[in-house]
Amino acid sequence: MTATQPDDTHLMGGEGLDVGTLNLMLEALGDFVEQELPADRQLQLDHDDVCPEDTVRAMSGDALGVNLVFVPEEYGGMGGGAFDSYRVCERMARFDIGLATAVFATFLGSDPILVGATPAQKETWLGRIASDGIVFAYGATEPDAGSDLGALRTTATPVVEDGAVTGYRITGRKQWISNGSIADAVTVLALAPGGPSWFVVEKGTPGFSSSPPEDKHGIRLSNTAALVLEDVLVPVEHLVGGVEGRGLVEAQQVFGYTRLMVAAFGLGGGWSALDRAIDYSQQREQGGAPLARKQGYTHKLVVPHAVRLEAARAIVEETATRIDAGQGADGALNTEGAIAKYMATEAGNAAADAAIQAHGGYGFTRPYVVEKIRRDVRITTIYEGTSEIMEMTVARDRWQAHLKSRGAFYRDAATALDALHGTHPDVGAGTAALASRCLAEVLEACRTGRLTRNQHVLLRLGELVCAVETAAAFARKAAAAADGTLADKADRRFDAAALATMSRVFAREAALRVADDGVRWVVGAADAPASGGAVDAAALAAALPLDAVRAAQAGLVTDLDRVADVLYARTS
């Protein structure tokens, strides 16, 4: 077997499926899941804490073949790109995030093979996924390591015969493994003499076992179990790529992509819950009128969450487009993927929580489903990197960008948004530019005061970065919709006018958050012993365009009314 360097172009470059094929897959997926997993069966499986393995395997078999979207054409798949995968993942999550997790786990498990395997290994394992529908799992997380893949303790000891390595003996434990009990094969990250490396371990290998499935808060239709490896012997051909020590590099290369798929789960779960709240509010009357006609209901429990979900979609779609254009090689879009995951999963959680409130007492009961969705969507802020890891990832990268550009990074972004405002004055780009300028000033105040020595301040900066860059992406999407240049495969639930209105609402929120929270944390950290520097609060307040940010809030309630009209398909 010949060793090879990682294939940095896996699913990162190329248009993927054509629009017609994607739409057919989405339609077939919806029909299949509705038939196989009606609401009453979902609720019963959730109650019994049972993974519908038959359905998971049928989805990857001849009955549907959803697994083919994630496999390149040369290995028998359909060669879907990031945009295709996001649309498929969101559609699955709209039905059940546990089921979506089980299907996605096969892709995630095969990802080290896609990135770093030899041609022969790809032919073997990807070919089996495509032709036989085998189920994979991704064995990276460990009981004591969590999101820190570099802290792994699972070891791979070479077996040497006649001076040559013929295999490895793997010993260790893996925790929180999706498909852990049902997978036919697992990619396991283990510490070899040359460094962290990926190995393929097949079910039934002596010494390889799984613990009983976890009794989880949510996604109970997903099988999640710990894996135990006790002196498990695998042949040298199962070392992915035939080279030791590339495991962490290969994992980092695809975070931008895989986190985008979890972001799609947040969108799917959030909208599934919110649509139920919208339907309920049109049927439920109080005080002689439907709840749907009451601002106190719609403008708190429905409209803001629809706006945040669609804002998150904008950064998801923009990042997916860039990945498919080949910009995601070597993990180049990991930060954008982290922003998308953070915004979509936090928005999905908030929307599902509001949907319970929107149903009143009924929302707290199982038959109305939103209670289950809320439990399911919660995991999206935890797996594939917690929200806190996302905040740190984003903050560190953009802090370095601010320093290297001498403060120009977000000022230049604001200039570009001002130009967009000049051609599209109704998409919120001008307000997004205010948010970007505020962020530049906040970051500079943190630099002069050395405030990022406070970890909490750094994480809060990450949160603000996410809001600002999402507002910018939303404005760009709204402008593209107005110009008729929206991506062919983009979600089209809302027309250009609706997207412009939503973008204005979100830009206002982002600008106010950065201005208020930025001042709060800069001033709040200035007196802390760890800061080691002084901050001129008055100078920061003078540098921030606070009056312009407040003035930009004008028209907010009118725009909330307009969004409500769109969501409820009413003309007045």
Side-chain angles (χ1 to χ4, degrees):
M1 178 177 63
T2 303
T4 183
Q5 294 299 311
D7 177 6
D8 292 335
T9 62
H10 104 285
L11 297 179
M12 297 178 183
E15 298 178 356
L17 309 181
D18 61 75
V19 178
T21 301
L22 174 61
N23 288 336
L24 285 174
M25 173 56 75
L26 295 175
E27 182 179 351
L29 177 59
D31 292 343
F32 181 87
V33 178
E34 283 183 346
Q35 179 178 339
E36 294 294 319
L37 280 179
D40 57 347
R41 187 183 181 214
Q42 285 187 36
L43 289 173
Q44 190 60 52
L45 289 168
D46 175 76
H47 180 270
D48 297 340
D49 196 11
V50 172
C51 170
E53 184 178 350
D54 57 340
T55 302
V56 173
R57 292 189 179 278
M59 291 178 71
S60 297
D62 294 338
L64 183 63
V66 69
N67 57 312
L68 300 179
V69 174
F70 305 107
V71 177
E73 290 184 84
E74 57 265 38
Y75 303 109
M78 300 172 68
F83 216 110
D84 305 311
S85 299
Y86 129 68
R87 294 296 307 278
V88 167
C89 284
E90 184 191 3
R91 180 60 60 91
M92 289 192 295
R94 279 180 176 264
F95 292 100
D96 185 272
I97 295 176
L99 180 69
T101 297
V103 174
F104 178 64
T106 286
F107 163 73
L108 187 60
S110 67
D111 208 48
I113 298 169
L114 278 164
V115 172
T118 66
Q121 289 172 331
K122 291 181 181 181
E123 189 70 40
T124 296
W125 298 109
L126 300 181
R128 287 183 61 186
I129 291 173
S131 63
D132 303 333
I134 67 170
V135 172
F136 254 85
Y138 184 78
T141 304
E142 297 192 355
D144 297 323
S147 298
D148 185 4
L149 297 184
L152 79 161
R153 296 182 180 179
T154 300
T155 59
T157 303
V159 175
V160 180
E161 296 180 4
D162 298 327
V165 176
T166 60
Y168 291 83
R169 291 193 177 275
I170 305 176
T171 297
R173 292 180 61 88
K174 298 295 179 178
Q175 190 74 30
W176 318 120
I177 306 303
S178 298
N179 292 349
S181 299
I182 68 173
D184 301 303
V186 183
T187 43
V188 172
L189 186 65
L191 188 60
S197 309
W198 290 103
F199 298 86
V200 179
V201 182
E202 293 187 81
K203 186 174 185 177
T205 303
F208 182 43
S209 62
S210 62
S211 300
E214 303 286 353
D215 185 5
K216 304 189 298 296
H217 173 67
I219 59 167
R220 291 165 70 85
L221 273 68
S222 168
N223 174 274
T224 308
L227 301 179
V228 180
L229 300 102
E230 299 177 316
D231 201 31
V232 175
L233 177 63
V234 298
V236 68
E237 289 79 13
H238 285 208
L239 167 62
V240 174
V243 178
E244 295 178 3
R246 296 201 56 87
L248 298 186
V249 173
E250 291 160 357
Q252 288 288 336
Q253 283 177 335
V254 296
F255 274 151
Y257 184 95
T258 57
R259 286 171 175 166
L260 210 62
M261 302 310 111
V262 178
F265 291 172
L267 292 178
W271 266 116
S272 182
L274 203 60
D275 280 334
R276 284 173 166 80
I278 291 171
D279 290 343
Y280 177 81
S281 66
Q282 295 179 89
Q283 302 163 16
R284 178 73 168 177
E285 290 194 3
Q286 278 195 342
L291 289 171
R293 285 288 180 180
K294 299 179 181 295
Q295 275 190 353
Y297 179 99
T298 59
H299 289 24
K300 177 184 178 183
L301 300 177
V302 176
V303 172
H305 300 286
V307 168
R308 290 167 193 153
L309 285 167
E310 288 309 299
R313 185 188 303 282
I315 192 73
V316 167
E317 292 189 343
E318 185 171 277
T319 304
T321 298
R322 293 178 63 188
I323 289 175
D324 285 341
Q327 297 179 33
D330 294 319
L333 294 176
N334 281 356
T335 300
E336 287 77 4
I339 293 172
K341 180 185 186 295
Y342 181 81
M343 295 300 293
T345 59
E346 291 290 331
N349 268 268
D353 192 67
I356 290 179
Q357 191 77 7
H359 281 77
Y362 293 111
F364 209 62
T365 62
R366 294 180 62 249
Y368 279 75
V369 186
V370 290
E371 177 271 341
K372 173 184 176 295
I373 295 172
R374 178 63 181 88
R375 286 186 288 107
D376 286 349
V377 76
R378 185 66 181 83
I379 189 62
T380 63
T381 65
I382 297 173
Y383 64 10
E384 199 59 16
T386 65
S387 288
E388 292 69 35
I389 292 292
M390 299 302 98
E391 289 173 344
M392 182 61 75
T393 298
V394 171
R396 284 175 172 170
D397 184 81
R398 293 314 194 232
W399 179 245
Q400 290 300 314
H402 176 80
L403 296 179
K404 290 177 181 178
S405 67
R406 297 185 179 182
F409 188 83
Y410 284 107
R411 292 190 182 100
D412 289 347
T415 299
L417 286 165
D418 281 334
L420 182 62
H421 177 74
T423 58
H424 297 80
D426 63 340
V427 300
T431 308
L434 288 175
S436 193
R437 284 198 173 85
C438 286
L439 182 58
E441 297 300 334
V442 169
L443 289 171
E444 186 59 16
C446 287
R447 183 191 69 80
T448 58
R450 295 190 285 177
L451 302 184
T452 57
R453 293 184 179 185
N454 298 280
Q455 187 186 57
H456 186 62
V457 171
L458 188 61
L459 264 67
R460 298 286 59 78
L461 291 176
E463 182 182 19
L464 299 183
V465 166
C466 289
V468 168
E469 296 202 21
T470 299
F474 206 179
R476 288 190 289 267
K477 178 176 179 176
D483 292 341
T485 59
L486 207 58
D488 289 341
K489 290 185 272 193
D491 181 89
R492 280 178 164 73
R493 176 170 179 170
F494 300 106
D495 64 16
L499 290 173
T501 304
M502 289 180 167
S503 181
R504 292 195 300 270
V505 171
F506 188 82
R508 291 184 182 103
E509 179 180 310
L512 193 62
R513 181 187 298 182
V514 176
D516 285 349
D517 284 2
V519 170
R520 179 190 185 196
W521 293 116
V522 167
V523 175
D527 294 332
S531 67
V535 171
D536 187 337
L540 174 61
L544 292 174
L546 296 178
D547 289 342
V549 169
R550 292 173 186 133
Q553 305 306 312
L556 173 59
V557 174
T558 298
D559 277 347
L560 294 176
D561 289 339
R562 289 170 176 161
V563 175
D565 288 342
V566 170
L567 293 172
Y568 288 97
R570 59 198 184 203
T571 56
S572 62

